[in-house]
């Protein structure tokens, strides 16, 4: 007899993360973090991996508090955070077109890293893992950058680009986790589920 599993909640409104969980067969309920503000400002001299792990934990725990406030049934809450780094510098989401343009110029013709932290909590324990992947960009012409900015894709993306979108035309190769680059590393997610006695897929 198959054990009845408690619900899996997603403390993120990212449709990409929900789709990736669905790829494993999980129909996660999204918990918007309304009233649960998570400060995403990097700490002084904070390494990119430490940064995404800290935020993933904070978002999972904020999601747990929000679940309690909504009186939803107990279960596991998943939080995640993704950032891009190059030359040790964390590249978050661009604030405007000039910042997005600057980020894309910096990534042009070079390798950078994409870090995604994922965390699970049951309200008592919180465990987190990080996936780090390498991405090689082709050299970009100014026209390429301007056309890409015009698509509107960069605005809510770390590093000002979407791997799963039109920016795929710029990517020569990757080394690491494709799902991690999109926003939720499925191997690490499955490992965390196992810590709480959940199978990798229902």
């Amino acid at each position: 007899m198959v054990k009845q599993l408690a619900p899996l909640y997603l403390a993120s409104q990212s449709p990409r993360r929900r789709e990736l969980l669905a790829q494993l067969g999980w129909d996660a309920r999204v918990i918007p973090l309304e009233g649960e503000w998570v400060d995403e400002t990097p700490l002084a001299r904070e390494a990119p991996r430490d940064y995404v792990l800290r935020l993933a934990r904070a978002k999972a725990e904020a999601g747990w508090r929000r679940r309690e406030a909504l009186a939803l049934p107990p279960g596991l809450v998943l939080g995640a955070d993704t950032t891009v780094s190059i030359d040790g510098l964390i590249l978050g989401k661009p604030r405007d077109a000039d910042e997005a343009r600057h980020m894309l110029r910096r990534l042009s013709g070079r390798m950078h890293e994409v870090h995604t932290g994922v965390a699970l909590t049951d309200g008592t324990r919180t465990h987190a893992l990080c996936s780090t992947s390498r991405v090689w960009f082709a050299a970009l012409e100014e026209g390429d950058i301007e056309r890409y900015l015009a698509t509107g894709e960069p605005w809510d993306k770390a590093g000002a680009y979407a791997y799963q979108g039109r920016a795929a035309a710029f990517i020569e190769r990757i080394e690491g986790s494709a799902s991690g680059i999109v926003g939720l590393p499925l191997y690490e997610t499955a490992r965390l589920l196992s810590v709480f006695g959940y199978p990798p897929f229902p």
Side-chain angles (χ1 to χ4, degrees):
M1 184 175 181
V2 177
K3 172 184 165 184
Q4 182 66 36
L5 298 171
L8 178 63
Y9 298 99
L10 176 61
S12 169
Q13 291 187 286
S14 164
R16 297 171 296 281
R17 291 188 177 121
R18 193 161 191 264
E19 288 164 8
L20 285 165
L21 283 172
Q23 184 178 320
L24 291 183
W26 292 104
D27 183 18
R29 177 166 179 174
V30 173
I31 299 182
L33 298 182
E34 296 168 0
E36 289 287 347
W37 182 66
V38 176
D39 186 356
E40 298 190 6
T41 306
L43 303 177
R45 296 182 293 280
E46 187 172 31
R49 287 176 64 89
D50 295 337
Y51 171 72
V52 294
L53 283 168
R54 176 173 62 84
L55 290 189
R57 288 189 189 97
K59 290 177 180 180
E61 290 165 0
W64 181 267
R65 293 190 296 272
R66 184 65 181 153
R67 181 208 62 78
E68 288 187 315
L70 294 171
L72 297 173
L76 290 182
V77 180
L78 184 151
D81 191 77
T82 301
T83 199
V84 167
S85 71
I86 189 167
D87 301 325
L89 179 69
I90 292 173
L91 302 184
K93 298 172 184 177
R95 290 167 293 188
D96 52 36
D98 284 341
E99 190 170 33
R101 193 175 287 115
H102 177 74
M103 288 182 183
L104 292 167
R105 286 172 181 158
R106 188 161 198 151
L107 300 177
S108 174
R110 299 187 60 196
M111 184 276 290
H112 63 273
E113 292 183 324
V114 179
H115 313 270
T116 296
V118 57
L120 279 175
T121 187
D122 63 1
T124 301
R125 299 176 295 158
T126 302
H127 294 279
L129 291 171
C130 179
S131 166
T132 296
S133 301
R134 293 179 174 183
V135 179
W136 281 261
F137 257 37
L140 304 181
E141 301 289 341
E142 284 298 308
D144 296 328
I145 292 173
E146 295 305 320
R147 277 188 294 274
Y148 187 58
L149 293 177
T151 69
E153 267 191 7
W155 309 131
D156 64 341
K157 310 295 189 305
Y161 80 91
Y163 167 81
Q164 72 280 11
R166 291 179 176 86
F170 304 152
I171 296 170
E172 293 181 341
R173 66 187 176 99
I174 71 165
E175 183 181 283
S177 168
S179 59
I181 295 169
V182 174
L184 186 68
L186 294 182
Y187 173 72
E188 285 77 6
T189 299
R191 285 179 61 196
L192 288 173
L193 286 166
S194 71
V195 170
F196 290 90
Y198 281 52
F201 43 84

